[in-house]
Amino acid sequence: MNYKKLELEDINYIQSIIKDNERILMGENINEEYSHDELSDTISYPDLVVKVKSPEEVSSILKYAYENTIPVTPRGSGTGLVGASVAIEHGIMLDTSLMNHFLELDEDNLTITVEPGVLLMELAAYVEERGLFYPPDPGEKSATIGGNISTNAGGMRAVKYGVTRDYVRGLEVVLPNGKIVEFGGKVVKNSTGYAMKDLMVGSEGTLGIITKATLKILPLPKKAISLLIPFPSLEQAIGTVPLIIKSKAIPTAIEFMQREVIMDAEKYLGKKFPDNSADAYLLLKFDGNSTEEIEKDYENVAQICIEQGAIDILVSDTTEREDSIWKARGAFLEAIKGSTSFMDEVDVVVPRSSVNEMVEYIHGLYKEVNIRIKSFGHAGDGNLHAYILKDELSEEEWEEKVKAAMDKIYGKARELSGQVSGEHGIGYAKKSYLMKALDPATVEIMRGIKLAFDPKNILNPHKVCQL
Amino acid sequence: MNYKKLELEDINYIQSIIKDNERILMGENINEEYSHDELSDTISYPDLVVKVKSPEEVSSILKYAYENTIPVTPRGSGTGLVGASVAIEHGIMLDTSLMNHFLELDEDNLTITVEPGVLLMELAAYVEERGLFYPPDPGEKSATIGGNISTNAGGMRAVKYGVTRDYVRGLEVVLPNGKIVEFGGKVVKNSTGYAMKDLMVGSEGTLGIITKATLKILPLPKKAISLLIPFPSLEQAIGTVPLIIKSKAIPTAIEFMQREVIMDAEKYLGKKFPDNSADAYLLLKFDGNSTEEIEKDYENVAQICIEQGAIDILVSDTTEREDSIWKARGAFLEAIKGSTSFMDEVDVVVPRSSVNEMVEYIHGLYKEVNIRIKSFGHAGDGNLHAYILKDELSEEEWEEKVKAAMDKIYGKARELSGQVSGEHGIGYAKKSYLMKALDPATVEIMRGIKLAFDPKNILNPHKVCQL
């Protein structure tokens, strides 16, 4: 694709739209942050960053970019892990972080309408103050909602409540040609033409730019209790998960973790975790409207864990304990990152019944490839995060070993009927693994879909399925 | 589009694939049923019906049809209401009703994998016998699962459990060119490229033919109780719904109905409904794992109803009573159909808070257009079914009046930010209303998506967004 290089006339035009030079960044005013995301080593600067404030601004800029074949990359908080928000072809970056307003709370329809730059933690706090609940709970609380929708972010409550997709009712989207359209709405059911709203969810900013989102919310469960359950071995811990799923109690979350990672988190946060004596842990959460209701559920599950060899059942029923446990859990990624010189990650998802085999396999790679790998993840939904650590390796050794480890992990995931990404997306960094995982016929259709939205391919080029 | 007309050589080729002449119907052997669906007056015969038995047969036929530009229309039980399974361009019809096998029940992952021709009632019975639960509950129990997926069927439990989309984990699909691909799988989370599985759901047989579906199932709730609540007026009944939604008890179903329709059902079934003395009713269902758990929920809701003027609260807590009420509810469509010479329907969905206004508006049309209209529907999710009755009208009067009524109803739905279809789809009959409801830019993208899957446009032509 031959993109037009930004020239003075283009910048003048954009200034005429925005009319606020503080929201237009160029050259040295573009902070280094804008050249990368949270993890991937995909690095590329945009020529221009525009901090947009309205759908109309997004529309005017896209219309101009489309007519002039200038690449445009949307960006929220830049907390992605796969390079989806990096401006590979330079051009214009649209930073949505100033579009951070709550537009409407509709208690009759139990929906909230927000701009895309609202942060996950802001949204959670806003609804919880009002006795309401936005269930998706990805670890990175400073991600924007626009970013969460673009990756179909999952998070820790997926076992019981599902993922971001399940809470997106309607989207306002600016198409690559600048047209503003609505997909879905406040309606609960919809069989009105192809599932455009669902196609936008998880499309990583390649099909259109989300400028408004109407989200489903629920009444806030009145009570939550967590169980931290030490096991003598990871195998026993994870082997217990299918039995929990089969029992009729549905926990909100079923996470697994190991001592090593807990100790990283203790160091990173400067705070003790309630227990670090065992090799492996399950962390479970139950919610409901009364303590009795929850107790009935968790007592049954605790019994199952004991029968499977759990060393103890640590019940956390105060807000303080809850916070300390889940804060530690939320800090795992940063904590592991802090424990090494550089790292890369996999976010594979496998059928729940294969979690044990997948985790054991990843463990074995430590010896086979001779590289440190730490993992934790959502045992309840089969989504594992494994971090491959560079430590003291030379650049050359690292390249070779990380590739070897990745190839093996993704290969094993395919063998277990798993998928490349459970919640972090494909972006730029995981494209080659997507290509290996999908049927070429599927890739061809995905590219056709991209063209249907963006015939000139100006929006977030080289991402997801696009070479 | 210039399609090839079926010739002897084509029939010979198909016979060579199927090798079982009893599964190939031609000419007078094509039953009249194959020329239409359950309701719409879209009528057209296929040239050939093939009762397929495997993905490989579907693949071979599609490959041949694609190479020779022969139109292909998939059909399940033909219980659709909008003409989606009618062979407008004649050609080949693929009847999937013999692909009705249960392929795998995976209790570890709580999924069931079935062929597309399994009927909804067969699936429900199969899992319930094993203590499991497939929540989607559309009224038409003899629809196939393939059909339910193709329309994203909703049904009566959507208030609490969501719609078909929420229970489809993975699909095996034969693309129009005959390639067999898999979208999704047994995984619970997925952010691996564009949402192909979700795009297939609700695509009404225009993008590919579903040959296998992996569905999410749940543990079966141990207990269900229904409340039948008579109100002095429909307005009071429906006005109560937002208050129920806001209370923290989430019913499985919130249906509204009127005396007139109940009496049709009594006549149709030859059985008395528990009560027919009031003008309007809400029918609520609650489920859970114990009577106490459910009682707490429904007592709160019953109180709300009484405060809003409910005449009585009829509690149905035996299996027999449950069956009789819900059987009557399930027979409404057939009962109304039996009460008139011919009818057409709308399946609009509006935000829950606008149900009252929408229903009142439809009632007013009786006088304005001077045509009988009966309605009932899912008050809990905003999805209304209104049936416009021909009765003794001449063909000419009918055409004129039904168009006037439809235009007004869909116009009102748009005004209330509603959508054309909540669960029945667009098919052939509702295309003109879809075109009015969608932004032309969205229609253009939908057509681009269709082309990405089916560049020669052989699969189920003239449906959904396609002229």
Side-chain angles (χ1 to χ4, degrees):
Chain A
M1 195 74 201
N2 271 329
Y3 293 108
K4 178 176 192 279
K5 190 86 192 138
L6 268 196
E7 289 172 39
L8 193 59
E9 52 173 9
D10 306 315
I11 294 165
N12 287 340
Y13 181 80
I14 286 167
Q15 282 175 333
S16 79
I17 294 167
I18 300 298
K19 295 192 188 80
D20 175 359
N21 279 338
E22 293 200 355
R23 293 198 280 121
I24 302 177
L25 310 177
M26 277 178 286
E28 296 198 343
N29 286 327
I30 298 177
N31 190 298
E32 181 265 346
E33 293 280 314
Y34 284 109
S35 70
H36 61 84
D37 68 4
E38 189 76 18
L39 184 68
S40 77
D41 57 355
T42 315
I43 296 172
S44 179
Y45 276 85
D47 297 317
L48 195 76
V49 175
V50 184
K51 296 182 164 194
V52 285
K53 275 195 155 175
S54 71
E56 292 72 28
E57 285 183 359
V58 174
S59 167
S60 300
I61 293 171
L62 274 177
K63 185 167 186 289
Y64 182 82
Y66 189 78
E67 281 161 5
N68 292 281
T69 321
I70 298 166
V72 175
T73 306
R75 187 184 196 270
S77 327
T79 58
L81 302 174
V82 292
S85 64
V86 178
I88 305 291
E89 289 279 357
H90 318 291
I92 302 166
M93 174 165 279
L94 297 185
D95 174 347
T96 62
S97 58
L98 296 180
M99 293 182 74
N100 61 350
H101 298 93
F102 292 89
L103 300 176
E104 188 202 33
L105 177 65
D106 180 340
E107 298 203 43
D108 283 338
N109 289 301
L110 283 181
T111 59
I112 185 162
T113 302
V114 299
E115 289 187 321
V118 166
L119 303 186
L120 176 60
M121 59 188 170
E122 293 168 346
L123 174 64
Y126 186 92
V127 295
E128 284 173 25
E129 277 164 24
R130 289 156 179 84
L132 297 163
F133 184 41
Y134 176 70
D137 186 35
E140 178 58 66
K141 313 299 178 204
S142 60
T144 63
I145 288 303
N148 273 196
I149 295 170
S150 296
T151 53
N152 186 23
M156 284 171 287
R157 298 196 192 110
V159 184
K160 179 167 175 180
Y161 289 107
V163 296
T164 302
R165 173 182 308 287
D166 304 310
Y167 294 86
V168 180
R169 283 269 167 80
L171 295 173
E172 179 186 84
V173 171
V174 183
L175 298 173
N177 62 13
K179 283 189 186 134
I180 303 176
V181 294
E182 307 242 350
F183 297 149
K186 279 188 189 170
V187 294
V188 175
K189 284 172 166 176
N190 197 358
S191 293
T192 309
Y194 298 147
M196 305 296 276
K197 181 270 286 179
D198 279 285
L199 192 53
M200 279 301 301
V201 175
S203 65
E204 304 188 53
T206 62
L207 302 182
I209 294 185
I210 296 164
T211 49
K212 203 186 282 181
T214 298
L215 306 167
K216 168 183 167 178
I217 48 180
L218 297 178
L220 183 65
K222 290 179 190 132
K223 187 84 191 148
I225 288 176
S226 295
L227 304 185
L228 182 66
I229 308 173
F231 279 88
S233 74
L234 185 65
E235 203 180 338
Q236 274 170 288
I238 290 179
T240 307
V241 175
L243 304 174
I244 298 173
I245 298 283
K246 267 197 257 184
S247 81
K248 312 224 155 168
I250 303 175
T252 312
I254 309 178
E255 301 284 303
F256 79 90
M257 55 190 71
Q258 289 179 272
R259 182 177 17 214
E260 240 190 337
V261 175
I262 290 172
M263 290 173 77
D264 284 342
E266 287 183 336
K267 198 171 155 199
Y268 178 78
L269 294 170
K271 273 189 177 174
K272 284 277 165 215
F273 198 67
D275 189 276
N276 69 11
S277 61
D279 265 2
Y281 294 82
L282 286 184
L283 173 58
L284 275 66
K285 190 169 188 163
F286 293 86
D287 67 8
N289 286 322
S290 70
T291 309
E292 309 88 72
E293 185 188 328
I294 301 174
E295 269 172 2
K296 218 185 296 171
D297 279 349
Y298 85 66
E299 275 165 13
N300 180 19
V301 169
Q303 190 54 39
I304 293 171
C305 292
I306 293 292
E307 281 163 17
Q308 296 303 309
I311 298 167
D312 200 356
I313 306 283
L314 306 167
V315 179
S316 144
D317 52 3
T318 67
T319 314
E320 296 70 41
R321 274 206 212 172
E322 276 287 294
D323 279 359
S324 97
I325 292 181
W326 288 97
K327 219 166 250 167
R329 167 61 188 86
F332 281 176
L333 169 63
E334 289 298 325
I336 296 176
K337 208 171 155 189
S339 79
T340 184
S341 58
F342 188 76
M343 68 183 196
D344 203 350
E345 68 126 30
V346 296
D347 164 49
V348 288
V349 59
V350 294
R352 256 183 321 226
S353 58
S354 302
V355 169
N356 210 347
E357 190 173 345
M358 190 74 219
V359 173
E360 291 290 312
Y361 181 83
I362 292 175
H363 269 240
L365 284 182
Y366 172 65
K367 280 189 194 150
E368 200 179 330
V369 184
N370 193 17
I371 192 164
R372 283 213 306 152
I373 302 179
K374 287 183 183 175
S375 66
F376 60 89
H378 314 298
D381 56 36
N383 183 203
L384 308 177
H385 302 316
Y387 298 86
I388 304 163
L389 311 182
K390 184 167 183 250
D391 295 342
E392 309 303 319
L393 293 177
S394 72
E395 203 55 43
E396 210 172 295
E397 285 174 304
W398 163 247
E399 296 281 335
E400 186 204 313
K401 291 188 179 209
V402 74
K403 190 181 174 310
M406 291 262 181
D407 283 349
K408 281 175 188 289
I409 295 173
Y410 287 114
K412 184 70 182 175
R414 281 198 298 278
E415 189 193 313
L416 296 173
S417 302
Q419 301 277 345
V420 176
S421 171
E423 55 184 18
H424 296 166
I426 300 301
Y428 186 75
K430 306 297 178 195
K431 273 198 301 178
S432 63
Y433 299 107
L434 181 73
M435 295 304 138
K436 278 189 200 163
L438 295 182
D439 191 300
T442 303
V443 176
E444 203 182 309
I445 294 175
M446 286 187 181
R447 287 178 184 157
I449 292 171
K450 165 70 175 166
L451 281 179
F453 281 81
D454 185 13
K456 293 176 80 175
N457 197 7
I458 62 154
L459 193 59
N460 209 3
H462 308 297
K463 306 292 168 65
V464 189
C465 58
Q466 204 202 351
L467 287 183
Chain B
M1 194 75 202
N2 272 327
Y3 294 106
K4 179 176 192 279
K5 191 86 191 134
L6 267 197
E7 289 172 39
L8 193 59
E9 52 172 9
D10 305 315
I11 295 166
N12 287 340
Y13 181 80
I14 287 167
Q15 282 174 331
S16 79
I17 294 167
I18 301 298
K19 295 190 189 82
D20 176 359
N21 279 338
E22 294 200 355
R23 294 198 278 123
I24 302 177
L25 311 177
M26 277 179 285
E28 295 198 342
N29 287 326
I30 298 178
N31 191 299
E32 181 265 346
E33 292 281 314
Y34 284 110
S35 71
H36 61 83
D37 68 4
E38 187 75 20
L39 184 68
S40 76
D41 56 355
T42 315
I43 296 172
S44 179
Y45 275 85
D47 298 317
L48 193 76
V49 174
V50 185
K51 296 183 164 192
V52 286
K53 274 196 155 174
S54 71
E56 291 71 29
E57 286 184 358
V58 175
S59 167
S60 300
I61 294 172
L62 274 176
K63 186 166 184 287
Y64 182 81
Y66 190 79
E67 281 162 6
N68 292 282
T69 321
I70 299 167
V72 176
T73 306
R75 188 183 195 269
S77 327
T79 58
L81 302 174
V82 293
S85 64
V86 179
I88 304 292
E89 290 280 357
H90 318 291
I92 302 166
M93 175 165 280
L94 297 185
D95 176 345
T96 62
S97 58
L98 295 181
M99 292 181 74
N100 61 350
H101 298 94
F102 292 89
L103 301 176
E104 187 202 32
L105 176 66
D106 180 341
E107 298 204 43
D108 283 336
N109 289 301
L110 283 181
T111 59
I112 185 162
T113 301
V114 298
E115 288 187 321
V118 167
L119 304 185
L120 177 59
M121 58 188 173
E122 294 168 346
L123 175 64
Y126 186 92
V127 296
E128 285 173 26
E129 277 165 24
R130 289 156 178 85
L132 297 163
F133 185 42
Y134 175 71
D137 187 34
E140 177 57 66
K141 313 300 178 203
S142 61
T144 63
I145 288 303
N148 274 195
I149 295 170
S150 296
T151 53
N152 186 23
M156 283 170 290
R157 299 197 192 108
V159 184
K160 179 167 174 180
Y161 288 106
V163 296
T164 302
R165 173 182 308 288
D166 304 310
Y167 294 86
V168 180
R169 282 272 165 80
L171 296 172
E172 179 185 83
V173 171
V174 183
L175 298 174
N177 62 14
K179 283 189 187 136
I180 303 176
V181 295
E182 306 243 350
F183 298 149
K186 278 188 188 170
V187 294
V188 175
K189 285 171 165 177
N190 197 358
S191 294
T192 308
Y194 298 146
M196 305 297 277
K197 181 269 288 178
D198 279 286
L199 191 54
M200 278 301 301
V201 176
S203 65
E204 304 187 52
T206 63
L207 303 182
I209 294 185
I210 296 164
T211 47
K212 201 186 284 181
T214 297
L215 306 167
K216 167 182 165 179
I217 47 180
L218 298 178
L220 184 65
K222 291 178 191 135
K223 186 87 191 145
I225 289 176
S226 295
L227 305 185
L228 181 67
I229 308 173
F231 279 88
S233 74
L234 186 65
E235 202 180 341
Q236 273 169 289
I238 291 180
T240 307
V241 176
L243 303 174
I244 297 173
I245 298 283
K246 266 197 257 185
S247 81
K248 313 222 156 169
I250 303 176
T252 312
I254 309 178
E255 301 284 302
F256 78 90
M257 53 191 70
Q258 289 179 272
R259 182 176 18 212
E260 240 190 337
V261 175
I262 290 172
M263 290 172 75
D264 285 341
E266 287 182 337
K267 199 171 155 198
Y268 178 78
L269 294 171
K271 273 191 177 173
K272 284 277 165 214
F273 199 67
D275 189 279
N276 69 12
S277 61
D279 265 3
Y281 293 83
L282 287 183
L283 173 58
L284 274 66
K285 189 170 189 162
F286 293 86
D287 66 9
N289 286 323
S290 70
T291 309
E292 309 87 70
E293 186 188 327
I294 300 174
E295 269 172 2
K296 217 186 295 170
D297 279 350
Y298 85 65
E299 276 166 11
N300 181 18
V301 170
Q303 189 54 39
I304 293 172
C305 292
I306 294 290
E307 281 163 19
Q308 296 304 308
I311 298 167
D312 199 357
I313 307 282
L314 306 167
V315 180
S316 143
D317 52 4
T318 67
T319 313
E320 296 70 42
R321 272 207 212 172
E322 275 288 293
D323 279 359
S324 97
I325 291 181
W326 287 97
K327 218 165 249 171
R329 167 61 188 85
F332 282 176
L333 170 63
E334 289 297 325
I336 296 176
K337 209 171 154 188
S339 79
T340 185
S341 58
F342 188 75
M343 68 183 196
D344 203 350
E345 68 127 29
V346 296
D347 164 50
V348 290
V349 59
V350 295
R352 255 183 321 227
S353 58
S354 301
V355 169
N356 210 349
E357 189 173 346
M358 191 73 220
V359 173
E360 291 289 313
Y361 181 84
I362 292 175
H363 269 239
L365 283 182
Y366 172 65
K367 280 190 192 147
E368 201 180 329
V369 183
N370 193 17
I371 192 162
R372 283 213 306 152
I373 302 179
K374 287 184 183 174
S375 66
F376 61 89
H378 314 298
D381 56 36
N383 184 202
L384 308 178
H385 301 317
Y387 297 86
I388 304 164
L389 310 183
K390 185 167 182 253
D391 295 341
E392 310 302 318
L393 293 176
S394 71
E395 203 55 42
E396 209 172 295
E397 284 173 305
W398 163 246
E399 295 282 334
E400 184 202 315
K401 291 190 179 206
V402 74
K403 190 181 174 310
M406 291 264 181
D407 283 349
K408 281 175 189 289
I409 294 172
Y410 287 113
K412 184 69 181 178
R414 281 199 297 279
E415 189 193 313
L416 297 173
S417 301
Q419 301 277 346
V420 176
S421 171
E423 56 185 18
H424 296 166
I426 300 301
Y428 186 74
K430 305 298 177 193
K431 274 198 301 177
S432 64
Y433 300 107
L434 182 74
M435 294 306 137
K436 278 188 198 163
L438 294 182
D439 191 301
T442 302
V443 175
E444 202 182 311
I445 294 175
M446 285 187 183
R447 289 179 181 156
I449 291 171
K450 165 71 174 166
L451 282 180
F453 280 81
D454 184 13
K456 293 176 81 176
N457 197 9
I458 61 153
L459 192 58
N460 209 2
H462 308 296
K463 305 291 168 65
V464 189
C465 59
Q466 206 203 350
L467 287 184

